[in-house]
């Protein structure tokens, strides 16, 4: 781990020893900890004299021994604190998704994740997919606005995580960031326009490290921000993070790794070779573009069952801790996959995705028709208003179904074409690893029924949750993982 804390007590200056503060600190750190050629920025030097005297010449320093793009470079002083503060050392792993942002607060001394926060990416207000955001960024002050919006989201999540652990955000001394190529460009304020235009080239796939103050990320201003490397225009650091954190390179046989998200990115291979692609799945399975869609948080319907004889629906809600969290507020990706499969099997929807009112039989007395005409054509009622936390019916509309069918078709087309391009079929795949926040709740059987996942034995599928933020986390903890 290249980030360290050192406690040091200095001999106070005197008329006999008028060594300057900075040289005095460097001299003692070199003598006691063999830290040679320590460097510091101007903002750190500005506070050094005050902190040394406030701590009565006993201080704790935060030092970065090396960075990814200067592995043999001199150590860098990030912060100096009065007194001894060796209890914990804070850093963050960040996943910037097109739809959702995730922040994990990590104590580098124990290696534990101490807080996890997530929310929708504020950039959604300017477009739900990467192409619309690239276009927006190319106009006027669009790039600056999109960079500000994602920073507002991340800084809010950082503040929430810090408050949960009763620390200040300026006690966070490193950030490792994963995300697709467009999200990394917008995060760093790099114009992404060329990603959209033939021949689809990024400005940079491996962004050099920089410090937090350069982009207004509200952690320690001198903290290193390390963006993980991307592969190409539409295959970013979220996939390199996923390939490493999923452990697919430690498995035997052919592996298909799929990140279910707004950009359906995937990698196929056995790590002696890897081939990758992306498909524009859209935000539907993350709750975007669906009338009552939401992230997989408390109050989200995560599983649905429909009685084929009565058309009655029942569901399971992700429970929360607050009163009323057991009532549904919307439906998340896994619930939508479950719902589509149940509607198809029960005959409420045909194979083209059209809602129809089945004849049904045995409907109980007082039954209310769940298929009805809504503002956007036919819709199906999943939960009635009196059952919900919002006091509104939760429904799925014909427009929602169309968005979901396009998303699942894009995913299936992606891995089918990927396999075919190297002369293989999906039957050759020994295991399918599924990442993405959606991927930890999916019912495999139902995902196969709607044609989202390949039809293969259940035991070949492994759901891993958010592999992008997990990849950022393992890169924080391990130089070897970061090098890999």
């Amino acid at each position: 781990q290249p980030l360290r804390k050192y406690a040091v007590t200095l001999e106070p200056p005197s008329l006999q020893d008028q060594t300057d503060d900075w040289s005095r600190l460097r001299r003692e750190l070199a003598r006691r900890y063999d830290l040679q050629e320590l460097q510091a920025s101007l903002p750190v030097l500005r506070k050094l004299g005050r902190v040394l005297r406030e701590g009565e010449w006993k201080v704790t320093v935060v030092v970065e021994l090396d960075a990814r793009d200067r592995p043999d470079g001199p150590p860098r002083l990030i912060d100096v604190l009065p007194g001894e503060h060796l209890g914990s050392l804070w850093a963050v792993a960040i996943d910037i998704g097109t739809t959702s942002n995730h922040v994990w607060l990590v104590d580098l001394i124990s290696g534990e994740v101490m807080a996890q926060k997530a929310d929708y990416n504020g950039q959604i207000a300017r477009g739900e997919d990467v192409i619309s955001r690239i276009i927006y960024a190319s106009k006027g002050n669009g790039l600056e606005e999109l960079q500000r919006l994602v920073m507002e989201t991340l800084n809010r999540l950082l503040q929430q995580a810090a408050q949960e652990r009763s620390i200040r955000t300026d006690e966070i001394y490193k950030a490792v960031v994963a995300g697709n190529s467009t999200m990394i460009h917008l995060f760093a304020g790099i114009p992404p326009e060329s990603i959209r235009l033939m021949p689809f080239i990024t400005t940079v796939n491996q962004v050099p490290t920089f410090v937090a103050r350069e982009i207004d990320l509200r952690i320690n201003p001198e903290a290193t921000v390390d963006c993980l490397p991307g592969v190409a225009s539409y295959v970013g650091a979220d996939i390199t993070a996923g390939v490493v954190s999923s452990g697919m390179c430690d498995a035997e046989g052919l592996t298909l790794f799929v990140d279910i998200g707004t950009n359906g990115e995937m990698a196929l291979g056995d790590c002696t070779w890897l081939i990758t692609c992306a498909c524009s799945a859209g935000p539907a399975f993350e709750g975007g573009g669906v009338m009552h869609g939401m992230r997989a948080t408390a109050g989200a319907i995560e599983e649905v069952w429909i009685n084929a004889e009565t058309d009655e629906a029942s569901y399971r809600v992700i429970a929360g801790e607050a009163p009323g969290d057991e009532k549904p507020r919307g439906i998340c990706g896994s619930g939508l996959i479950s719902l589509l499969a149940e509607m198809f099997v029960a005959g409420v929807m045909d194979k083209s995705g059209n809602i129809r009112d089945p004849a049904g039989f045995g409907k109980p007395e007082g039954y209310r028709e769940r298929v009805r005409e809504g503002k956007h054509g036919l819709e199906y009622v999943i939960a009635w208003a009196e059952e919900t936390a919002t006091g509104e019916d939760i429904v799925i509309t014909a427009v929602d179904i169309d968005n979901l069918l396009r998303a699942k078709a894009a995913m299936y087309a992606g891995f089918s074409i990927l396999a075919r391009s190297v002369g293989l079929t999906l039957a050759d795949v020994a295991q399918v690893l599924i990442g993405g926040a959606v991927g930890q709740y999916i019912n495999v059987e139902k995902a196969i029924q709607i044609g989202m996942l390949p039809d293969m034995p259940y035991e070949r599928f492994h759901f891993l949750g958010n592999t992008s933020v997990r990849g950022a986390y393992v890169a924080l903890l391990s130089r070897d993982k970061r090098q890999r």
Side-chain angles (χ1 to χ4, degrees):
Q1 173 49 249
L3 205 61
R4 299 280 176 84
K5 273 184 173 179
Y6 300 98
V8 62
T9 301
L10 307 181
E11 195 67 36
S14 64
L15 288 173
Q16 287 71 40
D17 178 6
Q18 295 192 331
T19 306
D20 64 272
D21 293 343
W22 174 228
S23 298
R24 185 178 300 275
L25 178 64
R26 292 180 82 195
R27 182 177 66 191
E28 186 60 23
L29 288 170
R31 185 190 70 80
R32 186 164 177 190
Y33 298 109
D34 197 30
L35 286 175
Q36 305 294 334
E37 300 179 26
L38 184 67
Q39 295 185 346
S41 67
L42 188 57
V44 175
L45 290 177
R46 284 173 177 159
K47 65 185 284 189
L48 178 63
R50 173 181 58 79
V51 170
L52 287 173
R53 287 158 181 82
E54 190 179 317
E56 296 180 344
W57 304 96
K58 183 172 186 176
V59 293
T60 301
V61 295
V62 181
V63 176
E64 185 174 48
L65 300 181
D66 59 41
R68 183 251 307 169
D69 41 8
R70 49 173 191 84
D72 300 317
R76 183 172 74 92
L77 181 63
I78 296 177
D79 202 4
V80 55
L81 308 164
E84 188 171 304
H85 302 275
L86 297 178
S88 53
L89 182 56
W90 299 101
V92 284
I94 295 174
D95 167 42
I96 305 175
T98 310
T99 302
S100 301
N101 292 170
H102 295 256
V103 167
W104 285 10
L105 180 64
V106 180
D107 182 356
L108 292 178
I109 292 176
S110 68
E112 290 183 66
V113 179
M114 305 303 287
Q116 299 181 24
K117 300 296 174 184
D119 202 354
Y120 284 118
N121 186 335
Q123 295 174 344
I124 289 177
R126 302 296 179 262
E128 290 193 334
D129 57 70
V130 293
I131 299 299
S132 57
R133 292 189 206 168
I134 292 171
I135 293 170
Y136 191 87
S138 67
K139 297 176 180 176
N141 295 322
L143 175 61
E144 291 78 7
E145 185 179 354
L146 289 174
Q147 203 262 351
R148 176 180 56 77
L149 286 169
V150 73
M151 283 306 160
E152 287 175 356
T153 304
L154 293 175
N155 288 334
R156 183 172 66 254
L157 295 175
L158 287 164
Q159 186 64 46
Q160 291 170 3
Q163 283 178 345
E164 184 174 313
R165 304 309 303 183
S166 301
I167 65 168
R168 302 186 314 275
T169 54
D170 65 2
E171 294 177 64
I172 300 170
Y173 292 111
K174 188 168 184 178
V176 174
V177 183
N180 67 51
S181 302
T182 301
M183 291 303 103
I184 293 293
H185 277 59
L186 294 176
F187 169 75
I190 300 169
E193 192 169 4
S194 60
I195 294 174
R196 184 177 72 91
L197 305 172
M198 284 278 284
F200 315 113
I201 303 299
T202 56
T203 295
V204 56
N205 283 330
Q206 299 199 34
V207 180
T209 56
F210 48 87
V211 295
R213 60 180 154 79
E214 295 182 73
I215 56 166
D216 195 33
L217 186 65
R218 303 284 174 80
I219 56 178
N220 188 280
E222 297 303 304
T224 291
V225 179
D226 179 12
C227 296
L228 296 182
V231 180
S233 53
Y234 296 103
V235 180
D238 48 351
I239 296 306
T240 55
V243 166
V244 172
S245 68
S246 69
M248 71 178 284
C249 293
D250 304 321
E252 293 183 6
L254 188 65
T255 297
L256 173 66
F257 169 70
V258 183
D259 189 316
I260 298 179
T262 312
N263 301 334
E265 298 153 299
M266 54 201 71
L268 177 69
D270 61 7
C271 289
T272 61
W273 62 273
L274 285 168
I275 185 169
T276 185
C277 78
C279 53
S280 181
F285 287 117
E286 295 185 83
V290 174
M291 181 181 285
H292 290 113
M294 63 181 287
R295 291 189 309 106
T297 55
I301 294 172
E302 62 172 340
E303 184 91 48
V304 180
W305 299 269
I306 297 177
N307 186 314
E309 294 186 357
T310 65
D311 304 334
E312 277 289 78
S314 56
Y315 49 81
R316 183 172 67 234
V317 178
I318 298 175
E321 296 177 3
D325 274 353
E326 69 282 353
K327 288 190 170 186
R329 299 176 178 276
I331 184 164
C332 65
S334 60
L336 289 164
I337 291 165
S338 172
L339 175 62
L340 286 186
E342 289 288 305
M343 289 175 72
F344 178 55
V345 171
V348 179
M349 178 182 74
D350 66 21
K351 66 180 181 181
S352 298
N354 302 309
I355 299 176
R356 59 188 186 188
D357 195 356
F361 55 89
K363 293 180 180 177
E365 191 175 337
Y367 173 80
R368 285 187 284 181
E369 290 291 341
R370 288 184 179 267
V371 175
R372 68 188 187 193
E373 191 70 33
K375 294 178 183 177
H376 306 284
L378 285 177
E379 61 187 26
Y380 178 82
V381 181
I382 309 158
W384 299 106
E386 61 267 23
E387 303 166 12
T388 70
T390 58
E392 296 179 12
D393 293 342
I394 295 175
V395 305
I396 187 167
T397 69
V399 175
D400 295 340
I401 291 172
D402 187 53
N403 284 336
L404 290 161
L405 292 191
R406 289 171 190 271
K408 72 93 186 173
M411 300 290 298
Y412 200 97
F415 44 71
S416 300
I417 292 168
L418 194 61
R420 196 185 314 154
S421 70
V422 287
L424 298 168
T425 69
L426 292 173
D428 297 313
V429 174
Q431 63 171 349
V432 180
L433 305 180
I434 299 176
V438 179
Q440 62 199 64
Y441 302 106
I442 291 176
N443 180 310
V444 174
E445 183 183 355
K446 292 181 177 180
I448 291 172
Q449 281 176 345
I450 67 169
M452 180 178 178
L453 294 178
D455 192 355
M456 56 177 61
Y458 178 85
E459 60 271 13
R460 293 194 196 177
F461 294 93
H462 303 279
F463 296 91
L464 308 174
N466 189 331
T467 51
S468 179
V469 73
R470 186 167 294 280
Y473 166 65
V474 299
L476 256 184
L477 295 185
S478 166
R479 290 185 188 183
D480 291 342
K481 294 286 189 188
R482 180 63 186 85
Q483 184 60 32
R484 190 163 195 180

